[in-house]
Amino acid sequence: MPSTTAITVSQLSRLVGLPGAPVIVDVRIDEDFDADPRLLPASIRRDFKTVPTWAPDFAGQPVAVVCQKGLKLSQGVAAWLRHEGIPAESLEGGFEAWREADGLLVSTDKLPPRDEKGHTVWVTRARPKVDRIACPWLIRRFVDPHAVFLFVEAAEVPAVADRFQAVPFDIDNVFWSHRGERCTFDTMIEEFGLESTALDRLAAIVRAADTARLDLAPQAAGFLAASLGLSRMFRDDLEQLEAGMLLYDAFFRWCRDATEETHNWPSAGKPS
């Protein structure tokens, strides 16, 4: 009989990267984490021993708890969260089962330090169009769901990065930027080790739209049009980012599940 308090690797993998995904809490002990310091996408690390103190942080959110093998630590933490009224499940088989199934994992060696609230902080040029929406989408869906993004005048990005301990991206002469013909979105996928067919497909569309090489992907022209339309609809860059998240969610889902689907108008006299 299937467990009512656990989520399988296949079930969780179908939710990763989507707006309705559960919060993934990694409670592996330091020894296990140090042996493989990668994380499931958008994971938050927590100490299982202090679950009573941090459990309220997840009130009202579904949670998937991950330990090394899916046994005592994740099951105990999930049980405690349920005691607090939080819908929580442990990952069946834990980190080892996810890794053995070739589940998507995030490399942490390039992950920026977090602020006092546990968030990564990023800064880039104001008035985003494509890459500066694509990168925040990738970070929030796969790296840090609570990442902070600062949009400032282009000339002020380095100084703001220095004064506010933020990570600059999508400007010249920084680590997180274009490399050759590849855009910053490509750089982030590579550096975070996000090996995914769906993300590769989306990256091709983003790259074509961002670099004005619309012949590289059939979807690029429409994607660029939607991106430019959003940039005209919102004066506030953060409001544009929130609206743009849905655009990227939709294209990611298409890249993952719907590339073979077509839509035809029904012929006259035939049922639709």
Side-chain angles (χ1 to χ4, degrees):
M1 181 176 179
S3 172
T4 59
T5 59
I7 186 170
T8 66
V9 167
S10 61
Q11 288 170 332
L12 184 57
S13 65
R14 296 294 293 173
L15 298 172
V16 162
L18 304 181
V23 178
I24 301 176
V25 179
D26 185 314
V27 297
R28 286 179 292 163
I29 62 173
D30 290 342
E31 181 180 356
D32 288 334
F33 176 76
D34 291 342
D36 190 339
R38 294 177 296 172
L39 292 167
L40 272 68
S43 291
I44 300 170
R45 289 206 75 211
R46 288 289 188 271
D47 185 346
F48 74 92
K49 296 188 294 293
T50 57
V51 59
T53 65
W54 52 258
D57 295 345
F58 302 100
Q61 304 175 78
V63 175
V65 186
V66 180
C67 68
Q68 188 69 7
K69 296 182 178 180
L71 299 176
K72 55 185 178 294
L73 297 189
S74 58
Q75 292 184 31
V77 168
W80 191 283
L81 293 175
R82 291 194 297 273
H83 166 72
E84 296 284 348
I86 298 165
E89 299 172 303
S90 58
L91 177 63
E92 192 174 274
F95 182 85
E96 290 185 1
W98 182 272
R99 181 176 58 195
E100 288 169 6
D102 293 324
L104 196 60
L105 288 166
V106 180
S107 299
T108 58
D109 57 330
K110 301 296 188 345
L111 191 65
R114 297 175 184 265
D115 66 9
E116 64 276 5
K117 292 185 177 181
H119 307 155
T120 57
V121 183
W122 306 76
V123 61
T124 190
R125 298 170 287 137
R127 307 311 303 144
K129 299 297 188 297
V130 178
D131 217 2
R132 283 165 288 148
I133 298 293
C135 293
W137 173 84
L138 185 76
I139 291 167
R140 283 194 173 163
R141 291 289 183 255
F142 293 92
V143 180
D144 176 11
H146 302 295
V148 174
F149 294 98
L150 309 177
F151 294 95
V152 301
E153 294 179 9
E156 300 304 318
V157 171
V160 170
D162 178 61
R163 297 296 178 89
F164 293 87
Q165 290 75 59
V167 179
F169 71 97
D170 203 45
I171 63 169
D172 290 336
N173 302 316
V174 299
F175 181 80
W176 301 103
S177 191
H178 285 227
R179 297 178 183 176
E181 295 184 346
R182 297 168 68 82
C183 61
T184 308
F185 188 71
D186 292 299
T187 297
M188 289 192 172
I189 288 175
E190 178 183 354
E191 294 295 344
F192 286 127
L194 293 169
E195 298 179 3
S196 159
T197 300
L199 284 176
D200 288 344
R201 286 174 177 153
L202 181 56
I205 298 170
V206 170
R207 189 184 318 125
D210 189 60
T211 59
R213 293 178 293 164
L214 302 183
D215 58 308
L216 297 182
Q219 301 79 21
F223 187 82
L224 178 60
S227 299
L228 296 179
L230 284 173
S231 75
R232 298 299 193 276
M233 290 172 62
F234 297 95
R235 183 175 182 180
D236 185 287
D237 293 339
L238 292 175
E239 290 183 6
Q240 182 190 341
L241 173 57
E242 291 307 312
M245 293 292 287
L246 180 60
L247 175 68
Y248 282 82
D249 287 339
F251 267 80
F252 172 69
R253 192 61 187 268
W254 177 84
C255 288
R256 198 189 77 174
D257 299 324
T259 56
E260 301 301 320
E261 184 175 339
T262 58
H263 178 71
N264 296 307
W265 183 258
S267 301
K270 293 184 178 180
S272 59

